[in-house]
Amino acid sequence: MIPFQAEDAIHMTVILATLTPLVAFLLIMLGTRARKNLSAGLSLGAIAISFGCSLLLLARLWNVREPLEYSTRWVALNRMEIPFGFLLDPVSLLMLSIVTLICLLVQVYSLGYMAGDPGFSRYYAFMSLFAWAMTSLVLSSSLLQLFIFWELVGLSSYLLIGFWYEKFSATQAGKKAFVMTRAGDVSFLLGLILVLVHVGNPAILEMNSLDSAGLMPSGILTFAALLIFGGIVGKSAQFPLMTWLPDAMEGPTPVSALLHSATMVAAGVYLFARLFPFFALSPTAMGIFLFIGTVSMILASTMAMVARDIKQVWAYSTISQLGFMIMGLAAGGYFAGVFHLTTHAGFKALLFLCSGVFIHTWHTNDIFELGKGGARRLKIPVIALVVAAGALAGLPPFSGFFSKEAILAALALSSHPVWLAAGLLGVFLTAYYAFRVLCILLFPPSAGEEPSGPVGGLAPAPKGSRQEGSSRTFIWPLIILAFLTLLLGFFQGPLQHFLLGEGKALLVDHGEQAGWLPFTALFLSLAGVGLAWAEFGRCGAARLSFVERIPFLRELFSRRWYLDHFYHFFVDRIVDRGFSKLFAQNDNRVIDGSIEAVSRGTLEAGRFLAFLQSGMIQYRLLVSFAVMVLLSLYFFYRDSGGF
Amino acid sequence: MKWMLFGPETYIFLVAFFFLILSMWRGPHSEKDHVLALALSGLGVVISLACLGAEGLLFAGAYRLDLFSQVFKVALSFGLFLIVCLCANVEEIKRRYRLEFYFFLFVCTLAMMLLVSAQHLLTILLALELSSYSLYILVTLRRDEDMGLEAGIKYFLTGIFASSIMIFGMALLYGATGAVYLQDLAQVLPEVMGTPAAVIGLLLTFGGFFFKLAVYPFHFWVADTYQGAPDQVTAYIATASKVAVIAVVIKLIAAVDQNSTYLIHVLAVLSIASMTLGNLAAMVQKDMKRLLAYSTIAHSGYVLIGILSGGTAGYASAVFYALALLVMKFTVFLVVVVLSPRGKNLEREELAGLHGRSPLLALALMVSIFSLAGIPPTIGFMGKFYVFMGAMDKGLFVLVLIAMINVVVSLYYYLLIIKAAYLGHSWETPPAVHLPQPMRWLTGALIATMMVAGFYPTPLIRLSEAVARSLM
């Protein structure tokens, strides 16, 4: 552990990278809210500095093998000391670069997208808050610190989703997202405390070392791992806490791109990667993670196959891809999971940003309407969309192909072939739903008859000067991300070297599977694409998917496997109407109600007496007395029980 | 000079006496009285701070001064000062009662200061009764007499019932041990801990404090009293009075802590019942003060977890939580008091559009509510974390699990408040809230305190640990 050294250049860079967005947030909130351009400029400048710093760090530390930790004592609680600081290792540096890059691009994109919104400055303030929380989360050196920023990230996402509070449902969505992720976070905190009590130090490096296996009995270790994984489930919207993410899509599209695809929800998977050695100590827990990842992946893919809202399709797709990463990690493919996290951040942000252009132009989220409206006439967004969908479907030479292969290779090594089969099924489904959207958008039914001009009364928004002016801010982030998606796959080798160090090449140790696996996967992807084209793309296609022909499946998928119904039932019936009403009834109706009923019927002078004689206060006191008597009786019972 | 040790109490007593004389001397003069009370209570904080280092025994050992009592005296006088800050225009109390209002407020604070130092069972009883009786009267001072009277009567009846149980318990305890001083009790108790008289006496004695702390099954008064009392009095009951009671419960438990599993079980049951009942009942409340009343019951449950975990760590966490509660509860009440419509209670829905009316108040409400809900990085999160850590250290996993589930449940109604303040639309737009400049500074300082202590709680943790250690 290196103590704080102010002159240390790397250290200064780290502080600069994390703190500049916070400074921007405070400045905007305190001073510049009235001046839109200045606020946006501050926020953009801060995130650009962060991005520059993260690149610098990446370059400086590319060849450093040992993780660097800068920490100082933060809280001394009971007998344990909780450090506060930064932990720089390959995975955190990689994630830092991804986060700051996507933040930067999304903020540039938002310049056009949010222009004219009354809350423009506030939007940028929250964006900066998010950037600060997220970069700090990524670099946290202890689990408690990570947890605090984890919550701050959730809070800023709550603020950003609820940002458009003119829409009522947006606020409901915000609440749902907040409560659902909180449920996961409580589990995380419980696990964290459990680890803290046993290991005595929440420093990530210490948890990851093999000592923690010695300090914790294996049962407790598995339990703690599962509890911490609960936080991942909540944040990354995995089964069974998955339904908040599609609902959170009500917020502005750039927010969806940033939070709900590339960075915030990926924080869950990042945590998994961060604590990978710790989780790996418990094979039982890893098996459960693999199961949850698989279930989430398949469920979300099926939901994506029937959704009509373009953002919802990508939201389901995000859940399913995150599940895919968790499968990879849980199967032991550390590099595969992190690599897919990296590529996914790029192409999923691209998908959202492209969709944002369509939504911004036609003011609808429905893919059929967008297709009819003539989405294919926007050349650059369409090309970018094709690139991103190709990557999502796992087609070469896009980045998604390489990372998916890596995960499948890891799955092939896992204990049971069922996981690999599920993974391959996922590849097929993913390719299908990605190209379903693409085909609907690009080959609308009326395309043959009316190749130009608005159709169906859905005229594109008039090309006013504002839109022309903002198109540059729309286009550049798309182009950059598209190039990234195109090129990132070829950096698999160097990245693997960076993450795993020397001599741990992943593809070497399973030569035989590597032979047939890529071809099978590619074949399945192409089959998915082909099916989508046959159903939605080709001339005279029925435009009805095979799922929709089966009413049962359509209902099941479009109602999210009835998960929401279950939550609704649970929360509404049992908690809201059941317990609370019961207590409130006891409180209001039985006691207050009768007091009021009695006392209202009497004269004001008699009120006091009526109140006393109504007997209700005696009833309450009787309860108090009975409880005390029971508690006293417990003493004798316990005593005779032989304590 | 031993009397110097008694400084804060003497001072508060003199101020109370001064207000009594003043109320006979001349009629009330709102503004002047408020400035006067503000200055006098501010001086009280200074005097308590000056006496922070006092140590010793007074009145034949019935009264003990140590770091524990002195820190709580500072907290109490600070709480009084904060409440007086809110009393700029106490519209709910008739003008002619205003001076008496200050009199009772100061007397109640005096009683609580006596309570945290009292070592003799009778001193404890007297101090507790003095504070209770001042509160009974304060509650009934409301302009809307029916509301205040009903609240007061309910409070009074439950209160005397709890007192009688407590006195019975004390008698049993005395009969079993022959001791009336806490330090003697601590020595004698281990021998007789197996006898029913001692244990049941102890349990019943706690009844009186559970009443003040609003722990199940003595919580019945809370909702009605909070609802019926004037806002400032409710704020006082919820903040300063709670801090004092938490202190005295910690002190009592620490004195009799014999690692009795029976006692831990009882406390655990009461804690779980309080949390669950408070949180579930709070969900359906529409009146803000009623909602906060149930939330108070839930928070008493969390505090009990810290207390029953025992040891320096457990007591320190309870002390930390008490101090955190003082700040966050007060901030919520500040918003409630400022926004309350004349003569009525504030409804949750009436918070709608607060963000537009006063961004500062909306921010204060959000931070304090998040703090109450235990969301980092706020002081409330640190408090809960500290308490849960202590309990987990003792292996009380199930208790912590239930508490955590309760935390999630409580989010539901806390979020409804935030939603109303930030996202709600009101039918007619009420005018912007005008906050005087000093109140703005106070609000800002409270927000900063909650956030800074959330990020850097070490000094407060040190303080709590030192306080807890002075008990052992």
Side-chain angles (χ1 to χ4, degrees):
Chain A
M1 209 185 282
I2 308 165
F4 270 122
Q5 285 174 343
E7 67 275 17
D8 191 331
I10 294 178
H11 187 207
M12 288 309 288
T13 323
V14 175
I15 291 180
L16 205 60
T18 53
L19 280 190
T20 38
L22 175 66
V23 173
F25 166 69
L26 292 177
L27 283 178
I28 295 173
M29 285 309 269
L30 291 179
T32 70
R33 281 179 70 176
R35 299 165 71 180
K36 291 183 169 190
N37 290 339
L38 186 58
S39 304
L42 271 174
S43 177
L44 273 170
I47 194 66
I49 291 175
S50 274
F51 178 58
C53 290
S54 67
L55 282 188
L56 206 65
L57 286 171
L58 204 61
R60 277 286 297 276
L61 299 173
W62 186 261
N63 286 314
V64 176
R65 288 277 66 90
E66 284 297 305
L68 279 178
E69 188 178 7
Y70 301 92
S71 63
T72 180
R73 205 182 67 185
W74 173 40
V75 183
L77 211 61
N78 306 349
R79 16 162 241 294
M80 50 198 87
E81 306 214 326
I82 298 170
F84 181 92
F86 303 110
L87 174 61
L88 302 178
D89 60 357
V91 65
S92 64
L93 286 173
L94 185 64
M95 190 71 186
L96 181 68
S97 311
I98 299 171
V99 166
T100 48
L101 174 64
I102 306 275
C103 276
L104 177 63
L105 292 178
V106 166
Q107 288 198 10
V108 170
Y109 180 90
S110 304
L111 279 178
Y113 197 90
M114 301 304 291
D117 199 284
F120 191 76
S121 297
R122 190 161 40 111
Y123 173 80
Y124 271 96
F126 291 153
M127 275 288 187
S128 289
L129 179 69
F130 172 78
W132 170 60
M134 193 68 205
T135 48
S136 305
L137 183 155
V138 167
L139 295 174
S140 291
S141 72
S142 82
L143 207 55
L144 182 63
Q145 186 189 348
L146 194 149
F147 179 76
I148 286 180
F149 286 110
W150 175 276
E151 289 286 301
L152 256 180
V153 166
L155 179 63
S156 45
S157 98
Y158 176 62
L159 294 171
L160 279 169
I161 304 169
F163 179 72
W164 276 3
Y165 51 71
E166 285 78 11
K167 276 187 174 180
F168 172 69
S169 56
T171 65
Q172 285 288 14
K175 206 172 77 183
K176 189 172 181 179
F178 197 73
V179 170
M180 269 205 172
T181 49
R182 268 300 287 185
D185 295 347
V186 161
S187 151
F188 182 7
L189 183 59
L190 209 55
L192 166 64
I193 294 179
L194 203 60
V195 170
L196 206 50
V197 166
H198 281 90
V199 180
N201 191 335
I204 288 171
L205 283 180
E206 217 142 313
M207 275 178 72
N208 280 344
S209 68
L210 287 172
D211 300 346
S212 46
L215 289 166
M216 293 173 88
S218 68
I220 292 191
L221 192 132
T222 303
F223 191 44
L226 285 175
L227 284 173
I228 294 177
F229 189 72
I232 298 174
V233 166
K235 191 68 101 189
S236 289
Q238 297 296 293
F239 178 81
L241 297 177
M242 61 204 304
T243 57
W244 68 265
L245 188 59
D247 292 342
M249 291 297 148
E250 311 258 355
T253 309
V255 173
S256 311
L258 178 62
L259 276 74
H260 305 119
S261 65
T263 53
M264 185 189 84
V265 293
V269 177
Y270 171 74
L271 178 64
F272 194 165
R274 191 92 230 223
L275 294 178
F276 185 75
F278 173 75
F279 286 142
L281 292 173
S282 165
T284 322
M286 288 294 254
I288 294 171
F289 302 163
L290 188 57
F291 173 74
I292 287 180
T294 311
V295 170
S296 314
M297 200 261 302
I298 300 282
L299 286 191
S301 304
T302 58
M303 292 176 196
M305 283 159 61
V306 292
R308 287 174 68 103
D309 182 324
I310 187 163
K311 282 170 76 181
Q312 293 220 334
V313 175
W314 303 142
Y316 290 126
S317 152
T318 302
I319 300 174
S320 115
Q321 294 303 304
L322 292 171
F324 204 54
M325 292 170 211
I326 287 176
M327 285 170 78
L329 285 166
Y334 175 68
F335 169 71
V338 176
F339 186 42
H340 196 52
L341 180 65
T342 314
T343 58
H344 174 262
F347 68 72
K348 191 50 68 66
L350 183 55
L351 280 173
F352 270 106
L353 294 185
C354 290
S355 314
V357 177
F358 299 136
I359 294 169
H360 196 69
T361 313
W362 281 280
H363 300 288
T364 175
N365 283 6
D366 190 297
I367 37 179
F368 291 95
E369 305 261 316
L370 284 175
K372 272 189 235 158
R376 63 180 180 158
R377 273 177 291 119
L378 297 174
K379 287 287 174 286
I380 295 177
V382 163
I383 295 170
L385 191 68
V386 171
V387 170
L392 177 62
L395 298 177
F398 306 117
S399 57
F401 169 73
F402 298 94
S403 51
K404 268 195 186 166
E405 291 310 316
I407 289 186
L408 287 172
L411 286 175
L413 287 176
S414 66
S415 52
H416 202 280
V418 73
W419 307 122
L420 181 61
L424 288 172
L425 176 64
V427 168
F428 169 73
L429 294 178
T430 309
Y432 172 74
Y433 70 69
F435 274 81
R436 167 178 169 265
V437 172
L438 209 58
C439 290
I440 292 171
L441 281 182
L442 297 189
F443 309 109
S446 50
E449 300 102 60
E450 279 180 86
S452 63
V455 189
L458 258 177
K463 293 221 166 191
S465 55
R466 194 184 66 130
Q467 206 144 13
E468 290 295 336
S470 65
S471 67
R472 238 178 332 127
T473 63
F474 277 161
I475 296 308
W476 275 109
L478 298 187
I479 293 176
I480 292 171
L481 281 172
F483 269 100
L484 206 64
T485 306
L486 213 52
L487 296 178
L488 203 57
F490 299 103
F491 286 98
Q492 186 176 9
L495 272 177
Q496 193 167 348
H497 174 80
F498 175 54
L499 279 167
L500 296 176
E502 305 283 346
K504 279 200 216 161
L506 198 80
L507 290 168
V508 182
D509 39 6
H510 45 86
E512 34 148 359
Q513 275 126 335
W516 59 270
L517 200 55
F519 297 108
T520 319
L522 188 56
F523 171 73
L524 283 170
S525 298
L526 289 174
V529 173
L531 184 61
W533 190 80
E535 282 179 354
F536 293 98
R538 68 189 166 85
C539 270
R543 288 185 171 74
L544 201 62
S545 73
F546 68 96
V547 179
E548 281 166 312
R549 291 173 204 273
I550 309 168
F552 168 71
L553 281 182
R554 191 185 60 206
E555 278 295 293
L556 188 66
F557 292 171
S558 60
R559 302 209 170 200
R560 306 178 181 174
W561 293 70
Y562 295 97
L563 277 175
D564 265 351
H565 291 251
F566 176 73
Y567 296 137
H568 205 254
F569 177 82
F570 182 75
V571 172
D572 239 46
R573 293 283 159 73
I574 299 176
V575 179
D576 229 25
R577 283 189 213 153
F579 288 125
S580 318
K581 278 278 155 63
L582 206 68
F583 282 108
Q585 225 172 29
N586 175 41
D587 206 69
N588 289 334
R589 220 158 298 160
V590 181
I591 299 169
D592 288 352
S594 49
I595 288 173
E596 271 161 35
V598 172
S599 52
R600 268 193 207 124
T602 55
L603 288 171
E604 203 53 46
R607 187 188 149 100
F608 176 50
L609 278 177
F611 164 57
L612 271 186
Q613 286 171 357
S614 65
M616 285 311 160
I617 195 86
Q618 278 103 316
Y619 161 74
R620 291 184 188 197
L621 297 181
L622 190 66
V623 172
S624 304
F625 190 69
V627 171
M628 290 315 266
V629 169
L630 281 178
L631 287 175
S632 311
L633 282 180
Y634 171 64
F635 171 73
F636 295 101
Y637 170 75
R638 187 201 59 102
D639 210 40
S640 59
F643 256 88
Chain B
M1 179 59 187
K2 262 196 160 180
W3 282 97
M4 282 300 286
L5 298 179
F6 205 50
E9 291 88 334
T10 317
Y11 173 76
I12 298 282
F13 173 72
L14 288 178
V15 172
F17 195 65
F18 168 72
F19 273 111
L20 182 66
I21 298 292
L22 207 61
S23 72
M24 299 175 194
W25 196 262
R26 67 165 171 83
H29 189 291
S30 284
E31 212 154 293
K32 233 195 264 175
D33 293 342
H34 179 239
V35 174
L36 195 62
L38 206 58
L40 289 172
S41 60
L43 191 58
V45 178
V46 176
I47 292 180
S48 312
L49 274 173
C51 293
L52 198 58
E55 274 188 29
L57 290 172
L58 287 177
F59 308 120
Y63 201 76
R64 182 174 149 172
L65 301 154
D66 49 14
L67 188 64
F68 178 83
S69 67
Q70 298 313 97
V71 165
F72 273 104
K73 277 172 201 165
V74 173
L76 284 172
S77 54
F78 186 62
L80 175 69
F81 172 71
L82 288 177
I83 298 294
V84 172
C85 287
L86 292 184
C87 296
N89 43 357
V90 202
E91 279 173 5
E92 284 170 5
I93 294 174
K94 280 185 191 152
R95 266 177 66 84
R96 65 192 166 93
Y97 293 141
R98 298 268 166 89
L99 280 169
E100 278 95 335
F101 168 72
Y102 288 122
F103 166 68
F104 284 116
L105 217 48
F106 276 87
V107 167
C108 190
T109 310
L110 169 69
M112 286 168 180
M113 286 185 167
L114 297 175
L115 191 59
V116 294
S117 269
Q119 284 292 104
H120 191 290
L121 284 183
L122 277 180
T123 330
I124 293 177
L125 176 70
L126 284 177
L128 193 69
E129 292 296 287
L130 181 57
S131 78
S132 296
Y133 278 86
S134 338
L135 284 179
Y136 299 149
I137 296 169
L138 279 173
V139 167
T140 52
L141 279 182
R142 189 162 179 157
R143 190 185 286 271
D144 177 1
E145 269 177 6
D146 289 343
M147 223 167 169
L149 203 61
E150 185 183 329
I153 296 279
K154 279 182 183 170
Y155 190 22
F156 176 66
L157 285 178
T158 327
I160 52 169
F161 173 75
S163 292
S164 61
I165 284 191
M166 181 173 71
I167 295 171
F168 182 46
M170 283 180 171
L172 280 179
L173 207 55
Y174 177 67
T177 60
V180 282
Y181 288 98
L182 286 186
Q183 59 265 36
D184 296 346
L185 217 53
Q187 284 173 355
V188 184
L189 258 183
E191 299 158 21
V192 292
M193 205 52 189
T195 61
V199 172
I200 292 167
L202 204 55
L203 181 66
L204 296 184
T205 308
F206 282 128
F209 302 102
F210 290 158
F211 156 71
K212 294 286 273 182
L213 191 56
V215 169
Y216 177 87
F218 294 101
H219 66 280
F220 293 114
W221 58 276
V222 186
D224 296 327
T225 307
Y226 273 38
Q227 189 182 14
D231 288 344
Q232 285 82 356
V233 176
T234 311
Y236 186 78
I237 298 177
T239 54
S241 137
K242 284 285 171 300
V243 170
V245 183
I246 293 171
V248 74
V249 171
I250 295 174
K251 190 170 71 173
L252 275 177
I253 300 258
V256 302
D257 181 20
Q258 312 303 332
N259 275 328
S260 153
T261 49
Y262 168 69
L263 212 55
I264 288 180
H265 285 182
V266 166
L267 289 178
V269 166
L270 294 184
S271 153
I272 291 172
S274 305
M275 289 187 289
T276 315
L277 188 140
N279 281 327
L280 290 178
M283 279 179 158
V284 286
Q285 303 303 327
K286 299 217 160 51
D287 184 315
M288 273 300 282
K289 276 157 74 186
R290 252 187 119 75
L291 190 151
L292 287 170
Y294 283 108
S295 134
T296 297
I297 299 176
H299 281 280
S300 300
Y302 301 138
V303 172
L304 272 190
I305 296 180
I307 296 176
L308 70 90
S309 309
T312 318
Y315 301 139
S317 70
V319 171
F320 186 96
Y321 206 91
L323 298 178
L325 265 183
L326 179 69
V327 180
M328 50 202 196
K329 268 274 155 65
F330 177 78
T331 313
V332 182
F333 271 106
L334 185 143
V335 178
V336 170
V337 166
V338 172
L339 294 181
S340 273
R342 201 187 149 91
K344 278 197 305 185
N345 279 343
L346 184 69
E347 297 274 321
R348 193 182 64 213
E349 299 308 323
E350 284 169 344
L351 288 171
L354 179 62
H355 181 60
R357 291 170 66 197
S358 169
L360 183 68
L361 280 184
L363 183 68
L365 187 69
M366 184 170 81
V367 173
S368 53
I369 289 288
F370 275 151
S371 188
L372 284 173
I375 291 168
T378 53
I379 191 170
F381 165 71
M382 269 301 156
K384 284 210 172 69
F385 182 72
Y386 201 179
V387 165
F388 293 163
M389 277 292 297
M392 207 73 144
D393 236 2
K394 294 274 171 188
L396 301 167
F397 180 78
V398 177
L399 186 59
V400 175
L401 181 67
I402 294 173
M404 290 271 200
I405 293 171
N406 263 294
V407 169
V408 177
V409 170
S410 71
L411 260 186
Y412 179 81
Y413 61 86
Y414 286 133
L415 276 181
L416 286 180
I417 299 177
I418 304 224
K419 192 180 138 201
Y422 271 85
L423 311 169
H425 288 285
S426 50
W427 298 115
E428 74 275 25
T429 33
V433 182
H434 175 70
L435 268 187
Q437 198 60 35
M439 284 293 273
R440 294 181 147 267
W441 282 109
L442 177 68
T443 316
L446 287 166
I447 296 172
T449 310
M450 284 185 279
M451 294 301 287
V452 169
F455 268 115
Y456 190 65
T458 306
L460 209 52
I461 288 177
R462 289 275 163 69
L463 180 72
S464 313
E465 275 175 352
V467 167
R469 237 177 280 119
S470 76
L471 266 184
M472 307 304 270

